[in-house]
Amino acid sequence: MPSSFSAPGLADDLPDDVLDHWNRAIDAEFARLESLGSAYFTLEPADPTAERVAVTWFGAPAEPEFCFDRATAAQLSDWGVRGRRALHNEYCEYAVVTAPDSQGRLRPKRVQVTTELPEYYQVLAEQAPDLLREIVTDTLGTEPRWQELYGPSVADPKPLSPKQRRVAFARQLAGHGSHGDLVGAGVPAAPTGSLNAVNALFMAHPINGLDDLIYIVMFGAKPYARRTAAGVLERAGRDQIFRQESGLEALACRHADPAAALAAAGAAFDGRTVSFADPLGMYIHQFTSEVFLFEGGPVPDAWIRLGRGRQGLHQRLEFGPADDDPHFLDEITVVEGALEEPLTGGYQVVRQVQVGPVVAISGPTTVPPADFVELPDSPGPIRCREASVCSDTVGPLKAAFDAESGQPGPVGGLRGGGR
């Protein structure tokens, strides 16, 4: 039976045919992953009284901080498109908008944060070009040219077929996202256009997709267990769950994957079925704005703008002064405990943003003994600082940043090669 999800965040009133295509996209990803699931996961809840639960984690990239330190994490994560493409993999991406001050110096003006799924925009680009442009116009305040959405050779996308529009839009703004048809059509991993690079319209990191979101909840929704010395089954922990297959340890070292998987696993251990609540999407659930001060007091309310969602299901945050405001982002101070520093980029902002999906969880039932997935004890904690991402991704990114900025080479504490 086809799914019946609403538009993410209830942000848009979609025509029936466009909404149908969105649900087909969801169903296609689920069908591709369904063999990895269990009886404790369904795409949509069968029980209308299932409890809605927000599963949350912090949106700041975890990997550069455990590979190096917080200061390096901020530098690399704030490094424009390069930092975003490499590191913003917690289902939360951001862009820093800059503007010249009265002396002509380019300074950070505000931070745009998005949790919108790229597949949703792909459906809009395929099926509803006018609606796509209307949404982008409303989000950015200016109407984009068709060429900015579909590529320099597309003066009008409407004569194109949906498939042609899908490929053109992906090449220009989304990248292939590891989707087989787009890879086969020659779409590059990194989009060629700048509109979603200068701004944070929707997520573009290849790990921040609909398929990954469905996968990590399905992966977790099993009654994982470990046997104690007394022979009693108890819930398996993070290290047992993420060590059951080679290569999964890396997922344990992010904020998103352990939070989503452990929440689903805990529910399944109690015999509860996990589903996605309507509407399926990624949402901004909390922003701790109290740590930001302006002229010794709270930042003006007008500098905190949540959008792209209703009923608390926001998918966008803009933080900082508007274009017509004479102030700048670096006039704000961040105060966390004994730490007090000027606000200079998006990393400091998303450290205070909690994001995640909303799931539906059924009531508890008795788990048959045969359903438990018994895992061996972990031989020791997963050592994230030794993860291969440090040597393969974060280390080279830091070396490139240091070379471009004229700073010293890689920090000596970096390790890599193991997991």
Side-chain angles (χ1 to χ4, degrees), residues 395-416:
L397 187 71
K398 175 167 172 51
F401 177 87
D402 290 343
E404 186 166 305
S405 62
Q407 293 187 7
V411 171
L414 174 66
R415 301 181 181 92

Side-chain angles (χ1 to χ4, degrees), residues 84-95:
R84 179 176 173 187
R85 289 289 305 174
L87 302 176
H88 295 195
N89 59 8
E90 302 285 1
Y91 298 93
C92 178
E93 299 182 23
Y94 64 85

Side-chain angles (χ1 to χ4, degrees), residues 178-193:
S178 298
H179 294 285
D181 65 317
L182 297 177
V183 173
V187 175
T192 58

